[in-house]
Amino acid sequence: MRNYAIRDTTWKNKGHELDGIARIIQNKEKSFYIIGNKEEIEEFYKRTGRYIDQLAAFMISECCLTTLEGIPVILENEIPIKDCTVIICVARNRAEYEMERDRWKGKGIVENQSFFQGEIFSMVYDVYERNQIRIDRIEIFLTSRCTLNCEKCISYIPYFRMKTDTPLEQLKRDADILFGKVDYIYKLKLLGGEGLLYPHLIEYIDYLHDNYDEKIGTIRIGTNGTILPDREILEMCRRNRVTLDISDYSGAVPDRCKLYEVKELCDQHGVEVEIKRTGEQWLDLGFPNVVLDKKEEKTLREHFYGCAMFCRQFARGKMWFCCTNFAAVCAGLFPKNENDYFDFEADFSKKDLLEYEIGYSCLGYTTFCDVCGGCSEEINPRQVEVAKQMKQ
């Protein structure tokens, strides 16, 4: 998840940083109103809203519903502005969240007191009220082998001296450690390199499905659309309800892109497909080609908050806050630092892990922030063309 609402994420009272927010969320005298578009509200209701007894009503932008599960949908001007009123903004886009926050601030509604980012509200509610740690997205690194050699690869694949596959037994052990501590992961994404090059893909996903299916919302394989999956992989994806996330690089490598052939194969075999990055540009992180100026502590914290990295990486019993940080370490470009990951083999509480997922750490930022230009357009304006190929 991305944290748009909590700016200071330096651990000062580990395991209790969110107690104040939790007290408001658990207050049975409060009335909670959800704002956002139809899809965002329905997703929030499915994840969290259905458990909130004192959920009063919704306000939906471009209102399309009159009720949701028996709860009336009301307009913004019908929401009472009282001490007991709590607004939950479920907008996933940062600009939309901040626009709503500023509008409601003008009405006397205060962020993190009577106005909450939906994703943070959900996670705090799950841990404090339901005793469950439910994480939005975890990525698993399968292989550093790839069919492309992209100049600005966010996973630094061209910089890996040795192209290797993660041992299957290590992936299985990591799954056991991860799901031994986490109650649910909404999106588990398997990546490389090129995910379809991993030689034990079928056995690994079968293991995940057979042992942890009830703890996973969706398993997704990241692919660059240059490989046609064979019949065995397609059958495995169908029976395990796996989605193929295909990056659209047809403009960058038209001679190698098999995007539509892959989609047609998936359609024929009943495999769900999601096409990503059509018409997008990449961000140039700078590192390792450009040495950025060293940042002051305050600037680093602001950089971290502005980046709001949304995906975590799990490997070798550790959850890394920033996937790009993890990749730079694996490629031998950046030193490993214990501030930058959460050790699942140490003793910890669900509240500790909740805080880390939101962004708390000993420093309040990752050490990689010192060299990285950032993974969001809010702090990094340096756009580059997608999947530009380097010479081998």
Side-chain angles (χ1 to χ4, degrees):
M1 62 157 285
R2 289 189 185 273
N3 165 26
Y4 303 147
I6 300 175
R7 290 160 178 76
D8 184 359
T9 52
T10 307
W11 260 323
K12 302 177 186 68
N13 190 14
K14 188 174 181 180
H16 299 281
E17 299 287 354
L18 302 166
D19 288 358
I21 290 176
R23 278 193 293 272
I24 298 168
I25 287 174
Q26 293 178 296
N27 188 335
K28 304 303 181 184
E29 296 180 359
K30 299 286 186 181
S31 295
F32 296 94
Y33 296 83
I34 308 173
I35 63 172
N37 65 38
K38 178 177 180 291
E39 291 73 23
E40 290 164 341
I41 284 179
E42 288 178 335
E43 182 180 355
F44 178 87
Y45 186 83
K46 181 180 178 182
R47 288 190 179 193
T48 307
R50 58 197 174 115
Y51 300 108
I52 304 173
D53 293 333
Q54 63 272 42
L55 191 61
F58 308 86
M59 190 284 284
I60 302 183
S61 305
E62 301 175 0
C63 184
C64 302
L65 295 176
T66 56
T67 63
L68 181 62
E69 300 296 328
I71 302 173
V73 174
I74 67 174
L75 299 177
E76 179 180 326
N77 59 11
E78 299 176 284
I79 296 179
I81 306 301
K82 303 187 297 187
D83 289 342
C84 65
T85 299
V86 173
I87 305 296
I88 306 168
C89 179
V90 295
R92 288 270 179 162
N93 177 273
R94 183 177 203 137
E96 292 174 9
Y97 169 82
E98 291 181 346
M99 180 186 70
E100 291 294 337
R101 178 200 63 200
D102 293 344
R103 283 202 315 109
W104 286 89
K105 182 180 178 181
K107 302 178 183 185
I109 298 293
V110 181
E111 187 177 37
N112 296 327
Q113 294 181 28
S114 49
F115 186 93
F116 292 98
Q117 182 186 346
E119 291 178 277
I120 290 177
F121 185 102
S122 282
M123 288 204 67
V124 173
Y125 187 91
D126 285 340
V127 170
Y128 280 80
E129 188 71 13
R130 302 177 61 207
N131 193 34
Q132 291 195 9
I133 183 78
R134 300 167 74 86
I135 294 177
D136 187 63
R137 171 171 168 151
I138 294 282
E139 295 190 355
I140 305 295
F141 185 74
L142 300 178
T143 180
S144 58
R145 292 187 293 134
C146 193
T147 55
L148 298 179
N149 198 43
C150 301
E151 183 178 331
K152 298 298 181 179
C153 176
I154 199 169
S155 296
Y156 296 115
I157 294 303
Y159 294 92
F160 280 74
R161 293 188 182 91
M162 298 288 292
K163 305 299 185 183
T164 59
D165 303 316
T166 304
L168 176 61
E169 289 308 312
Q170 180 181 311
L171 291 179
K172 289 181 176 180
R173 181 175 182 273
D174 276 339
D176 296 339
I177 294 170
L178 176 61
F179 289 107
K181 301 291 180 69
V182 170
D183 295 289
Y184 197 82
I185 295 171
Y186 290 98
K187 183 185 295 184
L188 188 68
K189 187 159 184 179
L190 316 181
L191 295 163
E194 167 54 50
L196 292 178
L197 287 178
Y198 186 61
H200 310 296
L201 189 63
I202 294 174
E203 186 176 350
Y204 175 50
I205 295 179
D206 279 345
Y207 182 84
L208 290 172
H209 184 269
D210 292 346
N211 291 277
Y212 303 111
D213 181 52
E214 75 286 354
K215 291 190 169 191
I216 303 172
T218 176
I219 297 174
R220 310 175 84 91
I221 302 170
T223 176
N224 60 28
T226 64
I227 295 178
L228 296 178
D230 62 32
R231 180 179 295 273
E232 289 75 17
I233 287 178
L234 290 166
E235 170 57 27
M236 177 275 295
C237 289
R238 185 196 61 78
R239 69 172 177 265
N240 293 332
R241 304 186 306 281
V242 173
T243 299
L244 239 59
D245 279 354
I246 311 175
S247 293
D248 181 0
Y249 296 154
S250 54
V253 286
D255 56 327
R256 303 175 69 179
C257 181
K258 298 181 175 67
L259 174 67
Y260 296 104
E261 295 96 316
V262 175
K263 187 178 186 308
E264 184 178 359
L265 265 178
C266 289
D267 290 344
Q268 291 171 0
H269 288 81
V271 176
E272 187 173 342
V273 165
E274 190 167 330
I275 298 175
K276 304 289 186 68
R277 298 179 177 86
T278 301
E280 286 185 12
Q281 288 186 296
W282 280 0
L283 294 178
D284 181 0
L285 305 183
F287 182 82
N289 305 110
V290 177
V291 179
L292 301 176
D293 293 335
K294 296 293 182 180
K295 304 180 181 77
E296 300 293 333
E297 288 283 315
K298 183 176 181 292
T299 307
L300 284 165
R301 293 191 179 93
E302 290 172 350
H303 177 90
F304 179 78
Y305 169 72
C307 181
M309 171 58 75
F310 65 92
C311 60
R312 312 292 169 256
Q313 186 87 37
F314 197 88
R316 300 179 183 89
K318 297 172 175 58
M319 186 172 86
W320 292 71
F321 188 86
C322 173
C323 295
T324 306
N325 183 173
F326 167 82
V329 171
C330 288
L333 300 172
F334 192 78
K336 181 178 177 180
N337 188 295
E338 63 181 12
N339 174 81
D340 302 337
Y341 58 79
F342 192 93
D343 189 352
F344 267 59
E345 296 184 279
D347 290 331
F348 64 90
S349 70
K350 289 182 179 181
K351 293 177 183 178
D352 297 338
L353 180 54
L354 163 65
E355 291 168 5
Y356 188 80
E357 163 64 10
I358 287 175
Y360 281 90
S361 67
C362 293
L363 295 176
Y365 54 87
T366 72
T367 62
F368 191 65
C369 290
D370 195 31
V371 299
C372 178
C375 293
S376 74
E377 293 179 3
E378 284 82 5
I379 60 167
N380 187 355
R382 296 180 296 277
Q383 293 187 332
V384 292
E385 63 182 278
V386 168
K388 180 180 179 181
Q389 297 301 290
M390 298 171 63
K391 292 182 179 180
Q392 297 287 348

